[in-house]
Amino acid sequence: MTISEPLSLKNKASNIGFIFFGLIGILPFVAAFVYALLYSFGLVGAANSGFTTEFWISTWQSGAFIKSLVYSTVVAGTSIFISVSIALWLTLKFRKELEHPILAFAMYLPLAIPGIVAAFFTFQLLAKAGFFSRIAYAFGWITEARQFPDLVNDPYAIGIIATFISIVTPFLLLLFLNVYKNERVDELAQLSQSLGANKQQTVWRVSLPVVLNKTWTLIGLYFIFLLGAYEVPLILGQESPQMLSVLIIREIKQYDLSRLSEGYVVAVIYTVIVTTAAVLLFSRKNDVKHEG
Amino acid sequence: MSSMKANWKFFFLAALVILVVFPFAYLLLLSMASEWRFPELWPAYFGMRNWEQVVSSETGLISSFLVSTGISFSVATMSTFIGFFISRGIAYHPYKRTITLLTYFPYILAPVVFAACLSYFFLKLGLFGKPVGVFVAQFMVAFPYALIFFSSFWGEKTKSYEELVATLGGNQLQAFRKVLLPIAKNMLIICFFQTFLISWFEYGLTSIIGVGKVQTLTIKVFLFIKESNFYYGALSCCLLILPPVLLLYINKRYVFNKLI
């Protein structure tokens, strides 16, 4: 009796916990997805009158989604690639110097800057009348603001990529420095050199593989976050093509009710892509470990 | 040769520090400027006027700061404590891996898209355009984060502690109060600040659920950008950056978030 009582209490508490988890953790996600799916097929929504595949066909034919998907993938991929490269280079070249207290603190400072502030700052620097344009004027390189190249709201997403890099690189640098220390990569590198490997071989075959192997899940996670980024492309992007989140919100929030369903089509496809990516990332790999 | 190399490294790292500090200095400068027109490199006015106006006038920045603080504090408190208790059930569950994977879904989805698809339900529940609606929506993102965060806390060690408490005649409540919570204290603090920052930095979801009526600081920054009032925009940015910088100063781990 004395044993079964706490056990049943335990089960009760655990069940309440699971119900809560289901209500807050799972139900909203499922509800959001089902609602978007029904809307995309015309089954719900003020302007819709019944099942139709019309919105899926028109979304496909307009090409806006495919353009946006390719654009977002290229922007996110480029930003991640450059950020990983810079962070790895800094880790391998300066890891000892970065242990200095001032530098160690400075490396953390960019984490205090949210996306919307980073985008605002990039705009202030790179816009036609921005800080860099003023410097170019002071040096006599330009005589009018409009001569300054398009670096924000531009077709090559230079402003967006620059902002993404400035957000992601500090995080990756700290992550790589952590892994470098925890995995004792220095000792492994020394061992490989004592076994006859040269510097180049040690970097490419020991240090980099160890660091990347330990962090690729988080790099993948970051890629997914950038793919769905909103405020940075909203401030620094152009009219067309737009990044996925901006496109979805533009379609869903506009007054033309007939276009609303197309917005939900894109939201459904985006959700499927992202959840598939999450399954691929996390079902094969160990859980992301946190330092306690 | 080696001194040249050392010099190169020194200058490079000094440039890196300047690069890191520059955004903070520039935003502070911009927040104290006005009438800074192209092509001037220095503003025509530089002083405390904007900051004084924020305290005295109707810019609404002080109320935005308070709204943001209130929402973020509530989101952080609730998601940390509820996340801590519920993560235990998940960690000891036979289908732990599947449940953890499910936890990632709402967290990994762009919050703004999540909010747009949920807005119908918020409207029906009367939560649209209200601080409590923004709180609920942000909690839906911060809570999965807390679950993932605490998943590494529970394991054989905590299980054996709980069993020890039970063997010594203690109940579940005592196990939590006397053993588990004290052990988890550091993690609870870190999770609190990180969920605080998730909420503090949030823009897209807040703009959808708050429909412009719940004006957190991030919403204010965007409004000022739209009005081309860059001086107040920079000032709001400074207010937005202040808490995380303070947290960094206290403990770097409060801000370095391995899951974001």
Side-chain angles (χ1 to χ4, degrees):
Chain A
M1 275 306 273
T2 45
I3 294 168
S4 70
E5 223 170 55
L7 265 179
S8 79
L9 261 174
K10 223 182 203 175
N11 286 340
K12 220 177 191 175
S14 155
N15 284 340
I16 293 169
F18 269 99
I19 290 167
F20 192 84
F21 169 69
L23 278 176
I24 297 288
I26 308 292
L27 185 69
F29 178 79
V30 175
F33 182 73
V34 170
Y35 182 75
L37 192 68
L38 293 177
Y39 216 116
S40 73
F41 282 112
L43 292 166
V44 291
N48 293 330
S49 50
F51 181 82
T52 174
T53 52
E54 174 196 336
F55 306 119
W56 283 79
I57 294 166
S58 60
T59 303
W60 185 256
Q61 281 172 345
S62 81
F65 166 67
I66 294 294
K67 262 191 211 163
S68 172
L69 180 65
V70 172
Y71 180 72
S72 305
T73 311
V74 171
V75 169
T78 309
S79 309
I80 287 289
F81 178 76
I82 297 174
S83 304
V84 169
S85 307
I86 297 173
L88 275 176
W89 182 73
L90 288 171
T91 306
L92 295 174
K93 205 90 186 161
F94 297 102
R95 66 186 172 280
K96 287 202 178 86
E97 289 81 357
L98 291 174
E99 282 171 13
H100 188 281
I102 294 176
L103 284 168
F105 183 70
M107 291 306 105
Y108 279 86
L109 269 179
L111 303 184
I113 300 179
I116 193 160
V117 175
F120 174 73
F121 176 67
T122 305
F123 190 85
Q124 289 302 316
L125 284 194
L126 303 183
K128 291 261 185 210
F131 190 65
F132 286 171
S133 172
R134 290 159 198 246
I135 291 176
Y137 182 90
F139 277 104
W141 297 331
I142 58 168
T143 51
E144 286 177 69
R146 64 186 175 86
Q147 291 170 335
F148 193 72
D150 291 323
L151 299 178
V152 293
N153 310 120
D154 60 302
Y156 302 108
I158 295 169
I160 301 176
I161 293 174
T163 311
F164 281 166
I165 293 170
S166 72
I167 294 172
V168 180
T169 308
F171 167 81
L172 288 177
L173 175 63
L174 291 169
L175 186 71
F176 293 158
L177 286 170
N178 246 329
V179 170
Y180 206 92
K181 211 170 170 185
N182 293 345
E183 297 301 312
R184 301 195 295 188
V185 179
D186 249 342
E187 287 168 37
L188 287 174
Q190 276 171 16
L191 184 69
S192 79
Q193 281 183 345
S194 66
L195 289 172
N198 60 31
K199 260 189 167 175
Q200 206 85 351
Q201 284 171 319
T202 308
V203 168
W204 288 101
R205 310 192 97 154
V206 180
S207 308
L208 285 185
V210 172
V211 173
L212 287 176
N213 190 38
K214 277 279 159 189
T215 52
W216 71 266
T217 313
L218 279 170
I219 295 172
L221 192 62
Y222 236 111
F223 172 77
I224 294 172
F225 283 137
L226 291 190
L227 201 66
Y230 180 62
E231 46 266 54
V232 174
L234 185 68
I235 294 170
L236 301 171
Q238 53 172 2
E239 270 300 303
S240 171
Q242 287 174 319
M243 283 192 74
L244 281 169
S245 291
V246 182
L247 176 75
I248 293 169
I249 299 307
R250 188 191 69 184
E251 302 278 299
I252 290 179
K253 277 185 83 178
Q254 64 183 330
Y255 295 105
D256 181 1
L257 290 178
S258 64
R259 298 282 297 277
L260 225 97
S261 301
E262 289 177 20
Y264 282 109
V265 171
V266 182
V268 168
I269 303 173
Y270 163 74
T271 308
V272 170
I273 292 173
V274 166
T275 43
T276 310
V279 171
L280 289 175
L281 266 182
F282 295 107
S283 57
R284 285 188 294 157
K285 190 79 183 166
N286 299 332
D287 302 331
V288 178
K289 286 281 176 203
H290 237 276
E291 277 176 46
Chain B
M1 190 68 184
S2 78
S3 89
M4 252 179 78
K5 200 177 166 189
N7 268 343
W8 172 81
K9 275 196 170 183
F10 174 79
F11 284 118
F12 180 83
L13 290 169
L16 203 64
V17 172
I18 293 170
L19 197 71
V20 167
V21 177
F22 181 57
F24 297 90
Y26 189 84
L27 288 171
L28 191 65
L29 172 79
L30 192 59
S31 77
M32 294 165 85
S34 76
E35 298 153 46
W36 192 2
R37 294 189 187 92
F38 183 85
E40 299 306 323
L41 274 174
W42 191 254
Y45 172 82
F46 179 73
M48 293 304 288
R49 198 164 65 197
N50 297 337
W51 285 85
E52 282 162 9
Q53 275 171 356
V54 163
V55 181
S56 59
S57 79
E58 316 80 52
T59 51
L61 269 175
I62 294 291
S63 70
S64 284
F65 188 85
L66 294 175
V67 167
S68 282
T69 309
I71 291 176
S72 300
F73 185 82
S74 318
V75 168
T77 310
M78 294 290 279
S79 44
T80 300
F81 280 97
I82 298 175
F84 178 73
F85 289 109
I86 291 182
S87 66
R88 179 185 168 278
I90 294 171
Y92 293 162
H93 199 275
Y95 293 112
K96 181 195 166 189
R97 284 181 72 86
T98 313
I99 300 170
T100 307
L101 187 63
L102 289 174
T103 316
Y104 270 102
F105 290 164
Y107 178 66
I108 212 166
L109 201 67
V112 68
V113 177
F114 190 36
C117 296
L118 274 176
S119 53
Y120 168 79
F121 302 100
F122 275 76
L123 190 68
K124 287 283 161 201
L125 291 169
L127 294 171
F128 228 43
K130 290 181 183 159
V132 66
V134 172
F135 159 76
V136 172
Q138 289 190 354
F139 177 74
M140 284 175 183
V141 178
F143 172 65
Y145 172 83
L147 289 179
I148 299 164
F149 181 89
F150 286 120
S151 65
S152 63
F153 173 74
W154 305 101
E156 284 309 311
K157 203 167 116 185
T158 49
K159 216 174 198 173
S160 59
Y161 281 139
E162 286 183 61
E163 280 163 6
L164 186 66
V165 173
T167 313
L168 293 172
N171 59 29
Q172 191 75 28
L173 195 69
Q174 284 167 321
F176 266 101
R177 275 186 51 205
K178 305 270 183 189
V179 182
L180 297 170
L181 283 172
I183 300 174
K185 195 179 144 200
N186 274 342
M187 280 188 91
L188 285 165
I189 295 171
I190 293 172
C191 186
F192 175 85
F193 286 126
Q194 294 194 346
T195 44
F196 180 90
L197 290 181
I198 288 175
S199 163
W200 187 257
F201 286 169
E202 169 51 47
Y203 169 74
L205 178 141
T206 311
S207 72
I208 298 279
I209 302 296
V211 277
K213 288 181 190 162
V214 185
Q215 296 202 338
T216 58
L217 273 177
T218 50
I219 301 286
K220 274 282 185 202
V221 171
F222 195 75
L223 283 176
F224 286 133
I225 294 173
K226 260 169 83 179
E227 289 170 8
S228 296
N229 189 346
F230 299 129
Y231 313 117
Y232 279 5
L235 208 156
S236 332
C237 287
C238 289
L239 292 176
L240 205 52
I241 291 172
L242 190 70
V245 170
L246 282 177
L247 287 178
L248 263 182
Y249 185 72
I250 299 167
N251 188 340
K252 286 180 281 192
R253 285 175 63 205
Y254 292 162
V255 181
F256 180 46
N257 175 353
K258 273 196 179 182
L259 291 179
I260 283 197

